[in-house]
């Protein structure tokens, strides 16, 4: 070198890179040449120039390198493929166990992936989904802390927000309410969505007929979903036709002009309207008073559309200004009614907003699984997949002896450790990729069952999208890595010389393999016991004494008529039905037990108690429902003074600490009532929740709130000839009210519906634990057959020396028995913890008994031993001559 | 045996002239200096490797030197075959060039 410029080595990473690119040997001198050039460029035109040159050189080299390695990997892959297929064919049993186990595992994972994908896809189909927010409301305690959160907002709130914030483009209030909708002779009990005019502009529900901007512009217009348009109009064009909505509350009916038809909302939509009409129409049904009240939360949500991503931040920043301007007056009103006696200057309400796409997985949204549920489901899928992977690992390792020659020959011919590892890895990948086909077949056939279990409508073809297929590819990669890495490592470590000499020992006393098998059992046992407890808890809740009769109680919907009419109808029907054969007693109520509850307030000795369920009933109600009276008496139909009396339940007595409750006064609203009876406890909402304090009161002369109007007739019917009795009731109804629909339900159906969610859960866990155990047992089966085949000679010698089949059985089944024993001891605390955590969700729970763990372990033991014994007996029965002859 | 190509001929001559210092970088430098054209390392490596394969050249590793950062050099040396091939191309060229002296004069004027 001419100048004093110091020689520079290329940096280490690039040296590594060049080594990778160049052939294996003799890279030293070319690198030296390369470096010399590099240094010359550095001294001539600076380091930057040199680097530029350096990277250009490498880039030029790359395509060739990639091409060459690609060609070679294909050549080798062909070979690996061949040896994989040969092995699958040669060892049918292991291949079947491996492939079917992995296929079940992958199938489960795909199903659960579809489920979770669906849950996460909620509301994303709306074109403006990232700009739509729901307005939320927090109710505060007098000390300013948040008492409860609601995904709803007072009716004046939405328009005010729309007016105040420039970032809010539009506001749509919605309020779904149940009505009877009629057209000619078709009538349906359906939820009608009252919504502001921009509804179809904000949400993406494509209109088949009509324009998004104008369908809701006229006050009496109604838009039907495709299904309901078919229901009411058949194939006729519904636009321009009239439908009638019968008001539940007042009994009045209003006609609406159909202005459009929209595509049925997809199943993954939180807002899923069937009939949409203008929000203002609520006034027709007597809800006008609520339009200006800040202290009333409707059961529908208010949605706003914002300008862009940063709007939320800007809006939340200015929210206090909004509250100051709009809410000062209403809040001072509300303080009186919400905080009551507590003097507090804190705001009774505060407002917020929530993304449309976040609503579905919000735990406060009812009826949908929350994130924890999804995580648990995910966990179950991972466990099943993991158990299948363990099978693959243990069986491959146990099976090394059969592949011995192949590995040795490869080694002798110059295969390096890395190459062997690569071979066994790619074998695992290939096997996993192969399992995808049976896995997809499993998914295809299991999907209808899965849909029924989870109440979803997942579709198989949705799996074939690019993103889902790439997830599937990723799954194969992960499973292949987990299943293939350790066996590959073990096999590559083998010494060929030892292999040829036949000095080989592996598998039997391998701690790693054993602990994997034990892990398998632990996982399946945990799933298994959890499934048992789930089922027990649900049965417990369904079968526990509800405090009222659940069998043969019939409800008939009386909301088809107005308040006055329904009274008349009730009395008329009652007279007609009461003394008929098959009908034991008749009554009526304002709320459907046990589902409904109301958050009413009562005052006892000057103290207010909120959250009491007040139910307006007709005489004979307790008797009809089978609610037992503990003290005092039931309402009497003869005594008119009973209108001033009430009956309470034991929980209320306990909560209010009333001593000798009979004759005590309780205030509901402004009126005082006397307690004449105390009922035993009955559960209103199912045993997931604590018993709610309840009050029964007789029908007053005029009901201010339609909430306490007569909503259903309750009949206790005899269990004999139910269909005949039903026919009688139906014909009587038709005779009196030929134009009103006869809507009814049985109480036990209602109770079963309460536990639907839990049942769904237990179903999933039961099925998955069954699968887990099945896969684990298949693994044990495979492992035993390996052990047995390895010990054929030993068995032969033992037999020659006089061992009986029983002796051999004990000898060989000892090991799997030990595994199950260790697993059950480990699984117990872990399973206990999980079940304990889950049971915390329930107010009334079963005790966790150790017996179930023991029983589950025993079942596991029996299953495992029977799978192993089948093979051991087969081997033990063989003539020792045959097994010893090959020597 | 096939005739040498022009680049092979030049490289062989350079190796012969460079003697103990005939490795790729020095060969390239020499050729670049004399021809005035840019020679990439690749354009040296390829013919050199080919000629090694054909037996015109052999190579050995030199001791590592500090100015190369401790890397070895691969030094090339002509074999008898190589010398023969050079001689052959020299005699062919001489014969071809004889009697065309006028050509170069005309070109120069």
């Amino acid at each position: 070198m001419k100048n004093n410029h110091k020689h520079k080595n290329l940096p280490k990473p690039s040296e590594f890179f060049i080594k990778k690119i160049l052939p294996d040997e003799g890279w030293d001198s070319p690198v030296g040449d390369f470096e010399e050039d590099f240094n010359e460029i550095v001294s001539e035109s600076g380091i930057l120039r040199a680097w530029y040159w350096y990277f250009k050189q490498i880039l030029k080299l790359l395509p060739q390198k990639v091409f060459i390695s690609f060609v070679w990997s294909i050549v080798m892959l062909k070979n690996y493929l061949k040896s994989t297929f040969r092995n699958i064919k040669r060892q049918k049993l292991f291949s079947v166990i491996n492939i079917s186990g992995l296929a079940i595992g992958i199938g489960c994972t795909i199903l659960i992936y579809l489920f979770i994908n669906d849950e996460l896809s909620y509301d994303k189909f709306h074109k403006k989904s990232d700009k739509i927010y729901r307005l939320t409301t927090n109710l505060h305690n007098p000390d300013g802390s948040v008492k409860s959160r609601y995904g709803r907002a007072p009716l004046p709130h939405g328009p005010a927000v729309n007016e105040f914030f420039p970032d809010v483009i539009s506001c749509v209030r919605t309020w779904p309410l149940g009505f009877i909708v009629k057209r000619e002779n078709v009538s349906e009990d359906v939820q009608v969505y009252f919504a502001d005019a921009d509804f179809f502009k904000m949400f993406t529900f494509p209109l088949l007929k009509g324009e998004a901007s104008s369908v809701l512009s006229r006050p009496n217009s109604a838009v039907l979903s495709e299904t309901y348009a078919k229901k009411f109009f058949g194939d006729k064009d519904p636009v321009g036709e009239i439908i009638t909505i019968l008001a539940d509350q007042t009994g009045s009916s209003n006609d609406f002009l159909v202005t459009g038809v929209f595509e049925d909302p997809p199943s993954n939509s939180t807002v899923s309207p069937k009939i949409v009409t203008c929000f203002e129409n609520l006034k027709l049904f007597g809800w006008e008073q609520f339009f200006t009240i800040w202290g009333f939360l409707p059961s529908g949500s208010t949605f706003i559309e914002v300008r862009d991503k940063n709007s939320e931040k800007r809006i939340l920043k200015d929210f206090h200004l909004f509250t100051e301007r709009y809410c000062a007056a209403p809040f001072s009103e509300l303080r009186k009614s919400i905080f009551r006696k507590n003097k507090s200057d804190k705001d009774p309400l505060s407002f917020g907003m929530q993304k449309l796409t976040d609503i579905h997985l919000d735990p406060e949204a009812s009826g949908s699984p929350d994130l924890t549920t999804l995580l648990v489901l995910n966990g179950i899928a991972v466990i099943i997949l993991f158990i299948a992977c363990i099978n693959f690992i243990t069986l491959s390792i146990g099976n090394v002896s059969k592949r011995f020659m192949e590995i040795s020959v490869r080694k002798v011919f110059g295969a390096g450790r890395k190459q062997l590892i690569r071979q066994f890895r790619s074998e695992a990948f290939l096997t996993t990729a192969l399992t995808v086909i049976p896995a997809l077949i499993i998914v295809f056939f299991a999907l209808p069952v899965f849909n029924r279990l989870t109440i979803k409508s997942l579709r198989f073809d949705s799996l074939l999208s690019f993103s889902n297929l790439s997830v599937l590819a990723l799954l194969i990669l992960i499973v292949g890595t987990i299943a293939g890495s350790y066996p590959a490592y073990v096999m590559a470590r083998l010494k060929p010389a030892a292999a040829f000499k036949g000095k080989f020992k592996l598998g039997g006393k391998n701690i790693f393999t054993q602990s994997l098998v034990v892990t398998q059992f632990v996982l399946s046992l945990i799933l298994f016991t959890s499934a048992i407890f789930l089922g027990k808890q649900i049965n417990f809740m369904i079968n526990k004494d509800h405090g009222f009769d659940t069998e043969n109680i019939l409800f008939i919907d009386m909301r088809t008529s107005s308040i006055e009419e329904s009274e008349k109808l009730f009395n008329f029907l009652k007279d007609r039905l009461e003394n008929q054969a098959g009908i034991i007693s008749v009554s009526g109520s304002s709320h459907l037990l046990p589902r409904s509850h109301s958050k009413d307030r009562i005052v006892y000795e000057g103290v207010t108690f909120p959250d009491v369920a007040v139910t307006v009933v007709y005489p004979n109600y307790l008797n009809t429902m089978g609610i037992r009276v503990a003290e005092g008496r039931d309402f009497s139909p003869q005594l008119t003074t009973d209108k001033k009396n009430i009956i309470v339940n034991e929980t209320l007595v306990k909560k209010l600490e009333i001593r000798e409750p009979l004759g005590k006064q309780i205030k509901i609203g402004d009126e005082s009532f006397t307690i004449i009876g105390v009922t035993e406890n009955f559960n209103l909402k199912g045993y997931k929740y604590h018993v709610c304090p309840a009050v029964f009161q007789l029908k007053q002369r005029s009901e201010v709130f339609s909430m306490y109007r007569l909503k259903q007739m309750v009949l206790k019917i005899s269990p004999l000839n139910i269909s005949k009795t039903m026919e009688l009731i139906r014909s009587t109804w038709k005779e009196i009210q030929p134009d009103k629909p006869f809507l009814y339900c049985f109480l036990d159906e209602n109770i079963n519906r309460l536990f639907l969610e839990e049942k769904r859960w237990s179903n999933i866990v039961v099925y998955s634990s069954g699968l887990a155990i099945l896969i684990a047992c298949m693994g044990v089966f495979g492992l035993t057959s390996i052990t047995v085949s390895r010990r054929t000679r030993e068995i032969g010698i033992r037999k020659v020396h006089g061992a009986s089949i029983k002796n051999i059985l004990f000898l060989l089944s000892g090991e799997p028995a030990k595994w199950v024993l260790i697993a059950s001891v480990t699984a117990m605390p872990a399973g206990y913890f999980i079940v304990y955590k889950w049971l915390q969700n329930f107010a009334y729970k079963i005790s966790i008994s150790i017996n179930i763990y023991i029983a589950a372990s025993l079942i596991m033991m029996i299953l495992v031993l029977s799978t192993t014994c089948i093979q051991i007996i087969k081997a033990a029965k063989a003539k020792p001559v045959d097994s010893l002859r090959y020597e | 045996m096939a005739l040498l190509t022009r680049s092979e001929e030049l490289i062989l001559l350079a190796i012969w002239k460079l003697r103990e210092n005939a490795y790729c970088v020095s060969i390239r430098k020499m050729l670049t200096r004399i021809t005035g054209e840019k020679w990439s390392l690749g354009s040296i490596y390829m013919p050199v490797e080919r000629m090694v394969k054909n037996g015109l050249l052999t190579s050995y590793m030199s001791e590592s030197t500090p100015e190369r950062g401790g890397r070895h050099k691969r030094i090339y040396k002509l074999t008898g075959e190589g010398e023969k091939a050079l001689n052959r191309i020299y005699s062919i060229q001489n014969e071809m060039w004889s009697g065309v002296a006028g050509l170069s004069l005309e070109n120069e004027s």
Side-chain angles (χ1 to χ4, degrees):
Chain A
M1 251 158 245
K2 284 172 214 156
N3 54 12
N4 301 338
H5 199 87
K6 253 190 108 184
H7 179 90
K8 261 194 179 138
N9 269 4
L10 289 172
K12 280 280 166 207
S14 58
E15 184 185 310
F16 169 80
F17 198 57
I18 295 173
K19 269 193 225 171
K20 274 266 164 208
I21 287 175
L22 289 170
D24 279 349
E25 279 152 37
W27 53 269
D28 192 51
S29 87
V31 170
D33 294 349
F34 200 65
E35 266 177 10
E36 213 168 298
D37 259 25
F38 181 80
N39 280 302
E40 197 174 295
I41 296 172
V42 170
S43 62
E44 272 169 13
S45 31
I47 187 94
L48 276 176
R49 234 348 206 295
W51 276 114
Y52 169 72
W53 170 83
Y54 169 75
F55 282 114
K56 213 171 80 182
Q57 297 294 320
I58 287 183
L59 277 181
K60 271 186 184 167
L61 259 171
L62 259 175
Q64 202 195 4
K65 170 70 187 169
V66 169
F67 177 73
I68 288 174
S69 61
F70 185 69
V71 167
W72 275 107
S73 64
I74 285 192
V75 171
M76 282 320 283
L77 190 73
K78 248 177 78 185
N79 181 278
Y80 296 158
L81 253 177
K82 205 183 269 173
S83 67
T84 307
F85 279 118
R86 278 182 189 159
N87 268 305
I88 287 176
K89 264 205 279 182
R90 198 184 306 147
Q91 295 162 26
K92 292 204 179 68
L93 176 68
F94 303 107
S95 311
V96 166
I97 291 174
N98 266 342
I99 292 180
S100 56
L102 277 176
I104 293 171
I106 290 178
C108 284
T109 317
I110 292 175
L111 280 178
I112 287 170
Y113 168 77
L114 280 177
F115 178 86
I116 292 173
N117 220 11
D118 185 67
E119 287 295 325
L120 295 179
S121 74
Y122 262 71
D123 296 318
K124 298 224 166 95
F125 66 93
H126 293 295
K127 287 201 183 84
K128 296 175 180 167
S129 64
D130 54 332
K131 288 184 196 156
I132 305 175
Y133 288 81
R134 176 170 81 164
L135 295 176
T136 59
T137 308
N138 299 323
L139 189 62
H140 289 259
N141 288 320
D143 61 0
S145 59
V146 174
K147 185 181 175 194
S148 44
R149 268 180 63 209
Y150 299 94
R152 301 173 269 154
L155 294 185
H157 182 46
V161 165
N162 194 12
E163 187 185 282
F164 184 79
F165 295 104
D167 269 306
V168 178
I169 296 174
S170 67
C171 155
V172 171
R173 291 167 295 177
T174 64
W175 195 347
L177 284 167
F179 285 104
I180 312 264
V181 179
K182 249 187 74 176
R183 183 202 166 250
E184 288 170 6
N185 46 15
V186 190
S187 58
E188 290 276 338
D189 193 357
V190 55
Q191 252 191 357
V192 176
Y193 250 80
F194 290 86
D196 281 318
D198 284 338
F199 185 80
F200 286 101
K201 277 196 266 175
M202 182 183 282
F203 296 108
T204 310
F205 296 121
L207 284 160
L208 300 171
K209 297 210 169 80
E211 289 294 323
S213 51
S214 63
V215 276
L216 290 175
S217 58
R218 279 173 47 200
N220 65 341
S221 47
V223 191
L224 303 183
S225 76
E226 218 180 331
T227 313
Y228 276 83
K230 269 239 165 64
K231 268 190 182 155
F232 288 118
F233 297 99
D235 293 329
K236 226 169 92 186
D237 183 5
V239 174
E241 299 282 333
I242 300 286
I243 55 167
T244 311
I245 297 180
L246 299 172
D248 153 18
Q249 316 292 349
T250 56
S252 64
S253 68
N254 288 285
D255 288 348
F256 291 87
L257 183 72
V258 178
T259 52
V261 177
F262 58 95
E263 275 179 29
D264 283 331
S267 59
N268 55 358
S269 178
T270 317
V271 181
S272 59
K274 292 163 182 107
I275 296 176
V276 184
T277 182
C278 304
F279 201 74
E280 297 296 311
N281 290 337
L282 278 168
K283 291 176 180 170
L284 299 175
F285 297 101
W287 294 92
E288 188 164 6
Q289 47 171 328
F290 297 110
F291 273 59
T292 51
I293 296 180
W294 284 80
F296 172 80
L297 290 177
S299 55
S301 301
T302 302
F303 297 96
I304 53 167
E305 182 189 334
V306 299
R307 214 167 285 280
D308 54 50
K309 267 191 260 160
N310 302 322
S311 293
E312 186 185 0
K313 240 184 262 164
R314 285 198 291 268
I315 291 173
L316 290 178
K317 210 182 81 200
D318 290 344
F319 230 105
H320 64 280
L321 296 176
F322 169 83
T323 326
E324 272 164 34
R325 180 148 156 214
Y326 286 88
C327 308
F331 277 8
S332 66
E333 271 302 301
L334 281 174
R335 241 167 245 139
K336 281 181 221 152
S337 60
I338 292 180
F339 296 158
R340 299 243 158 180
K341 287 202 305 188
N342 293 296
K343 291 271 180 298
S344 169
D345 57 346
K346 294 279 193 307
D347 284 346
L349 300 176
S350 66
F351 301 111
M353 56 203 275
Q354 178 181 35
K355 266 198 160 161
L356 174 68
T357 45
D358 290 345
I359 294 176
H360 180 66
L361 292 180
D362 191 322
E364 303 197 358
S366 58
S368 68
D370 52 11
L371 270 176
T372 353
T373 314
L374 296 191
L375 283 180
V376 171
L377 267 181
N378 223 340
I380 291 175
V382 169
I383 287 175
I384 292 181
L385 204 54
F386 189 56
I387 290 176
C389 283
I390 290 178
N391 268 356
F392 192 98
I393 295 171
T394 50
L395 291 186
S396 312
I397 292 176
N399 221 10
V400 162
S401 58
K402 297 225 164 130
R403 308 223 22 202
F404 230 17
M405 272 300 166
E406 182 197 337
I407 299 166
S408 310
V409 169
R410 275 183 198 273
K411 277 209 160 177
V412 167
F413 277 96
R417 248 173 60 93
K418 269 186 195 161
Q419 263 174 313
L420 278 175
I421 287 180
R422 204 177 301 151
Q423 185 204 336
F424 289 113
R425 274 220 180 129
S426 44
E427 213 162 86
F429 282 127
L430 285 170
T431 319
T432 320
L434 264 180
T435 58
V436 167
I437 299 161
L440 284 177
I441 295 172
I442 290 173
V443 170
F444 185 78
F445 286 106
L447 205 53
V449 182
F450 186 74
N451 274 338
R452 224 178 30 244
L453 282 180
T454 55
I455 320 179
K456 284 251 167 219
S457 44
L458 305 172
R459 286 148 46 99
F460 184 74
D461 49 7
S462 69
L463 198 63
L464 302 174
S465 75
F466 177 74
S467 63
N468 286 349
L469 284 180
S470 43
V471 168
L472 193 61
L474 191 72
L475 186 71
I476 293 172
L477 212 68
I478 292 170
V479 172
T481 312
I482 293 174
S485 290
Y486 185 70
Y489 169 72
V490 168
M491 291 190 201
R493 218 176 35 176
L494 290 179
K495 296 239 159 37
F500 280 129
K501 283 183 202 151
K503 273 192 208 156
F504 170 70
K505 221 180 157 204
L506 198 100
K509 289 270 176 284
N510 188 328
I511 294 285
F512 187 76
T513 316
Q514 282 185 6
S515 55
L516 279 181
V517 175
V518 170
T519 313
Q520 250 182 337
F521 289 147
V522 170
L523 292 175
S524 352
L525 264 177
I526 289 176
L527 272 178
F528 188 35
T529 47
S530 309
I532 295 174
F533 280 115
L534 254 169
K536 275 191 72 148
Q537 170 72 16
I538 290 160
N539 276 338
F540 166 77
M541 289 193 296
I542 294 177
N543 298 332
K544 189 174 155 71
D545 184 12
H546 291 263
F548 49 81
D549 291 347
T550 53
E551 304 281 305
N552 304 315
I553 289 187
L554 179 74
F555 294 113
I556 302 174
D557 203 329
M558 303 298 281
R559 289 174 299 171
T560 45
S561 320
S562 67
I563 295 182
E564 288 80 29
E565 267 179 65
S566 68
E567 293 286 319
K568 270 185 232 154
L569 176 67
F570 176 81
N571 289 326
F572 201 62
L573 261 175
K574 193 177 166 208
D575 290 342
R576 286 283 300 270
L577 291 173
E578 212 161 20
N579 300 315
Q580 296 281 1
I583 294 167
I584 296 168
S585 69
V586 183
S587 185
S589 69
S590 64
H591 291 87
L592 181 70
L593 287 175
R595 272 190 115 178
S596 314
H597 69 292
S598 25
K599 295 204 158 189
D600 301 311
R601 292 158 200 284
I602 58 165
V603 182
Y604 172 67
E605 290 183 341
V607 186
T608 308
F609 291 88
D611 300 336
V612 174
V614 174
T615 313
V616 172
V617 298
Y618 282 70
N620 226 356
Y621 181 77
L622 298 183
N623 185 22
T624 310
M625 288 291 290
I627 297 173
R628 290 176 293 272
V629 178
E631 258 182 281
R633 62 177 178 88
D634 194 357
F635 293 118
S636 151
Q638 281 82 36
L639 290 173
T640 47
T641 51
D642 266 356
K643 292 217 161 144
K644 282 292 199 180
N645 297 336
I646 52 169
I647 297 173
V648 298
N649 70 353
E650 279 175 337
T651 309
L652 186 121
V653 171
K654 214 165 144 195
K655 228 179 181 175
L656 270 61
E657 294 167 359
I658 310 177
R659 273 199 210 113
E660 291 172 14
L662 296 184
K664 291 269 159 55
Q665 298 280 311
I666 279 180
K667 266 173 101 175
I668 303 174
D670 299 325
E671 271 183 278
S672 275
F673 295 90
T674 314
I675 300 175
I676 56 156
V678 179
T679 69
E680 282 180 15
N681 275 336
F682 52 92
N683 209 323
L684 299 168
K685 292 193 285 181
Y687 280 99
K688 192 168 179 181
Y689 306 97
H690 288 279
V691 170
C692 181
V695 173
F696 293 107
Q697 113 187 74
L698 274 184
K699 177 98 184 73
Q700 307 297 300
R701 245 155 298 146
S702 61
E703 289 300 340
V704 187
F705 285 112
S706 50
M707 206 194 238
Y708 299 113
R709 65 160 286 182
L710 169 71
K711 292 205 193 78
Q712 63 267 324
M713 187 174 214
V714 188
L715 295 117
K716 170 93 182 166
I717 56 176
S718 106
L720 305 165
N721 263 335
I722 289 180
S723 58
K724 208 174 140 201
T725 315
M726 284 308 296
E727 204 35 61
L728 172 82
I729 298 168
R730 192 194 306 270
S731 61
T732 316
W733 175 278
K734 283 278 162 207
E735 199 183 307
I736 300 167
Q737 298 242 73
D739 58 332
K740 296 273 165 71
F742 177 59
L743 304 169
Y744 67 94
C745 67
F746 282 97
L747 181 57
D748 45 358
E749 284 169 17
N750 250 307
I751 289 176
N752 284 338
R753 211 170 302 151
L754 275 177
F755 300 106
L756 218 59
E757 183 77 4
E758 271 76 30
K759 272 203 165 159
R760 241 162 77 176
W761 263 103
S762 77
N763 277 338
I764 291 178
V765 178
V766 165
Y767 279 80
S768 55
S769 70
L771 283 177
I773 291 172
L774 176 74
I775 299 175
C777 280
M778 284 184 344
V780 175
F781 186 79
L783 267 186
T784 328
S785 81
I786 291 171
T787 322
V788 168
S789 76
R790 204 185 295 139
R791 293 172 83 168
T792 322
R793 237 164 75 196
E794 184 195 326
I795 294 171
I797 294 170
R798 278 180 195 276
K799 278 192 84 171
V800 169
H801 285 277
S804 66
I805 292 180
K806 214 160 77 186
N807 291 345
I808 292 167
L809 207 58
F810 274 121
L811 180 81
L812 288 183
S813 59
E815 195 148 272
K818 199 177 71 195
W819 294 338
V820 177
L821 216 63
I822 297 172
S824 41
V825 171
T826 325
M828 234 178 263
Y832 181 88
F833 179 74
I834 291 169
V835 172
Y836 178 79
K837 275 268 161 206
W838 178 72
L839 283 178
Q840 296 306 307
N841 290 326
F842 298 90
Y844 299 87
K845 40 190 168 264
I846 49 170
S847 56
I848 308 175
S849 78
I850 211 99
N851 291 345
I852 286 183
Y853 287 103
I854 294 170
S857 307
L858 271 178
I859 292 173
M860 190 83 184
M861 183 73 90
I862 291 168
L863 275 174
V864 168
L865 285 185
S866 53
T867 38
T868 52
C869 285
I870 291 169
Q871 296 195 41
I872 297 170
I873 289 174
K874 217 172 84 187
K877 270 192 177 161
K879 280 188 199 133
V881 185
D882 296 332
S883 52
L884 290 175
R885 193 155 50 191
Y886 71 86
E887 273 282 285
Chain B
M1 198 179 136
L3 284 180
L4 293 175
T5 64
R6 179 43 48 103
S7 60
E8 281 170 349
E9 181 192 342
L10 291 175
I11 289 167
L12 281 182
L13 284 169
I15 288 172
W16 190 77
K17 283 186 179 173
L18 284 165
R19 292 180 194 269
E20 259 71 64
N21 198 27
Y23 69 108
C24 284
V25 177
S26 61
I27 298 168
R28 190 174 76 113
K29 272 188 193 153
M30 182 179 222
L31 291 176
T32 307
R33 201 183 68 232
I34 293 173
T35 60
E37 279 169 27
K38 222 172 145 33
W39 289 66
S40 69
L41 271 178
S43 60
I44 311 284
Y45 278 130
M46 295 296 281
V48 163
E49 284 300 312
R50 193 167 58 234
M51 289 188 287
V52 168
K53 215 168 133 195
N54 291 341
L56 305 183
L57 287 174
T58 56
S59 70
Y60 62 91
M61 285 295 188
S62 77
E63 290 300 303
S64 61
T65 50
E67 73 259 26
R68 247 170 87 89
R71 305 243 183 255
H72 298 273
K73 289 175 186 167
R74 185 172 286 278
I75 306 288
Y76 294 96
K77 227 178 94 184
L78 262 66
T79 59
E81 285 288 315
E83 281 174 27
K84 246 191 253 166
L86 264 185
N87 279 326
R88 188 165 160 232
I89 203 97
Y90 177 73
S91 62
I92 291 172
Q93 278 193 28
N94 260 352
E95 215 173 312
M96 287 304 283
W97 275 101
S98 64
V100 288
L103 183 68
S104 61
L105 284 174
E106 271 170 36
N107 273 359
E108 268 170 28
S109 65

